[in-house]
Amino acid sequence: MTPCGWDCGNGYSKLHTTQGQILIPSYFKQISASDKNDYESLGNGALVEYLQGDRTDLVNSKWLIGDTAEIYFKQSFGRIVDDWRNKLTYGLQMLLGAIALIPRQQNYNLLIVPSLHDSQAFAPDLKKALQGNHTVKFDGNDIVNIYVNCQVTEEGVGALIVSRAPGQQKIALIDLGHGTTITSVFEGNKLLQNSRKIDTVGVHHLCEAIANNLQTCRHLNKPANPHLIREGLTKNFSYGTTAWEFSSIYGDELKGWLASCLVPAWKHLQSRADDIDVVYLISGGAMLPNVGAIAARQGIAVIPNSQTANVEGLLKLATSKAG
C-alpha cells in the first residue's frame, strides 16, 4: 500500500507521495454526454473518465481538472472555493486528477490521509467520497485501477508534524488559505475544544478585490481575471501575457484584506496568548509578498514551505499508518 498525503484546498489541491508532490489549481468541469469534442490534458491539469467502481454516481462521467478545466471553459469552470461542500462533492474528482499527474501505473493501492476543517462532523462524508475501488481512464487512453483506503485527520495536523520545534507543545495555527482563514490551537496534535475560529475570508477575496479595483478597471477597460491575478502574485505581479503589473494595486488592497482576515485571527488568540508556545502562519496566504514581514511584527512565525507544509505532514502521517 502506497502512503499519500492529500489536501483538497480551496485554491490548490495538493497530493504528496514518496515519488514527489503534485500541486494543481482546484478547478473542475464535468463534460456532458452530448459533448463530443476531443479534449486532452493541458497545462497543470488532467482529463479523467470514471468507468466503474464504488462511486456508482460517477460511472461514465468525464471531467477536466485543474488548468485543463480553466483553459477549455474559461467562463464556466467550477472552483472548490465556490462552495464549502465542494471538497466533499468533488473531492474524488480532484484526487483522480492529481493521481493522473504522478508516474503512471496500471494499478494503485493507496493509503490516503486527507485533512478537513471539521473532521468530527464531516470525516465520514469525505471517507465515503474517496474510499473504495475506482477504474478510470486518463487522457482518453490509459485505463487504471485505483484502490483508496482513506483515514481523515484534522486540518492543520500535517503542518504541526513538520513545523513543531523541540519543546513546543501548545501551538496556534493561523491557516491563511484561499477561501478561509482558520485559527486553531493544538495541544500536541489534539485540537483544543472551542479554540477554532473559521472566517470566510481568504486569498480569493484579495484577488477579487485587485481584479475589481478602480485602477485595474481603468487600465484594462474591464475588471481583471482573478485567475490571472492569482498567477501574477507568484510572478512579480505580471498580469497574464500583458505588460501590465499590479504591484501598487496589491499594496493598496493588502492592508484592508489583512484587517479582514489576519487581524481577527490574531485577536481570537489573545485570550490564550500567555499559554501558547508559538503562533505559526501557514498556507498559501503566508507566502504572499510582505505578509510574512507584517505577521512577524506581531510575533507570528511563517514556516518554510507554508503552502505545502500540511500535505507534507500528512504524507508522514500516512507513512506511519501504513507501517
Side-chain angles (χ1 to χ4, degrees):
M1 184 168 288
T2 302
C4 303
W6 170 242
D7 186 347
C8 185
N10 281 306
Y12 288 91
S13 292
K14 299 163 280 282
L15 178 68
H16 200 31
T17 75
T18 54
Q19 296 175 309
Q21 189 173 110
I22 300 299
L23 184 73
I24 57 174
S26 292
Y27 301 152
F28 55 88
K29 177 66 179 181
Q30 184 171 7
I31 306 303
S32 67
S34 61
D35 187 340
K36 303 304 181 182
N37 290 310
D38 290 327
Y39 296 99
E40 59 181 312
S41 297
L42 298 174
N44 189 16
L47 167 63
V48 178
E49 184 176 355
Y50 195 96
L51 302 179
Q52 63 182 16
D54 291 325
R55 283 293 302 272
T56 55
D57 58 309
L58 297 182
V59 171
N60 294 324
S61 62
K62 188 182 297 184
W63 296 84
L64 303 179
I65 299 297
D67 281 338
T68 307
E70 191 275 337
I71 291 170
Y72 279 114
F73 292 91
K74 289 187 177 295
Q75 303 302 319
S76 61
F77 67 92
R79 305 177 299 180
I80 294 297
V81 74
D82 291 333
D83 188 316
W84 72 268
R85 289 196 65 87
N86 282 350
K87 292 187 178 184
L88 306 176
T89 306
Y90 303 107
L92 179 63
Q93 294 90 318
M94 293 303 306
L95 174 61
L96 295 174
I99 293 173
L101 298 178
I102 65 177
R104 194 65 52 82
Q105 301 174 204
Q106 185 175 3
N107 297 287
Y108 297 86
N109 185 5
L110 306 177
L111 173 59
I112 302 283
V113 175
S115 61
L116 202 58
H117 69 278
D118 190 345
S119 63
Q120 288 188 339
F122 300 110
D125 293 334
L126 183 60
K127 189 172 183 178
K128 182 179 179 181
L130 301 182
Q131 189 160 279
N133 290 292
H134 314 291
T135 300
V136 299
K137 183 185 293 184
F138 291 147
D139 303 325
N141 295 307
D142 296 342
I143 296 177
V144 301
N145 301 300
I146 302 170
Y147 174 73
V148 175
N149 182 11
C150 178
Q151 299 187 28
V152 184
T153 192
E154 196 68 57
E155 191 79 47
V157 168
L160 288 176
I161 290 173
V162 298
S163 63
R164 179 186 285 111
Q168 293 178 349
Q169 180 64 16
K170 190 169 291 185
I171 297 176
L173 296 180
I174 301 176
D175 186 338
L176 195 52
H178 194 68
T180 58
T181 300
I182 304 175
T183 312
S184 314
V185 180
F186 290 84
E187 180 81 33
N189 288 341
K190 183 179 180 181
L191 178 68
L192 295 185
Q193 189 174 6
N194 300 321
S195 74
R196 174 156 287 174
K197 180 176 187 288
I198 301 176
D199 294 309
T200 54
V201 182
V203 177
H204 159 69
H205 301 87
L206 175 61
C207 293
E208 292 282 351
I210 295 171
N212 292 285
N213 181 280
L214 181 60
Q215 296 301 318
T216 298
C217 295
R218 283 176 175 171
H219 182 84
L220 299 175
N221 295 317
K222 60 182 179 180
N225 182 334
H227 170 74
L228 295 181
I229 294 293
R230 184 174 77 164
E231 287 192 335
L233 292 175
T234 64
K235 299 177 180 178
N236 297 317
F237 303 104
S238 61
Y239 181 72
T241 57
T242 73
W244 179 60
E245 64 94 29
F246 54 90
S247 59
S248 62
I249 298 173
Y250 171 80
D252 292 340
E253 295 289 354
L254 182 63
K255 184 177 180 180
W257 177 71
L258 288 175
S260 69
C261 55
L262 188 58
V263 172
W266 178 246
K267 288 182 177 179
H268 174 68
L269 294 174
Q270 291 315 292
S271 63
R272 302 174 181 264
D274 295 338
D275 194 33
I276 293 175
D277 294 319
V278 64
V279 181
Y280 285 125
L281 186 66
I282 64 170
S283 211
M287 300 179 67
L288 294 176
N290 302 324
V291 170
I294 293 171
R297 295 172 196 163
Q298 302 299 324
I300 303 172
V302 177
I303 64 174
N305 303 322
S306 58
Q307 184 176 29
T308 58
N310 187 60
V311 75
E312 291 171 10
L314 294 177
L315 173 59
K316 289 181 178 292
L317 189 58
T319 300
S320 66
K321 290 178 179 294

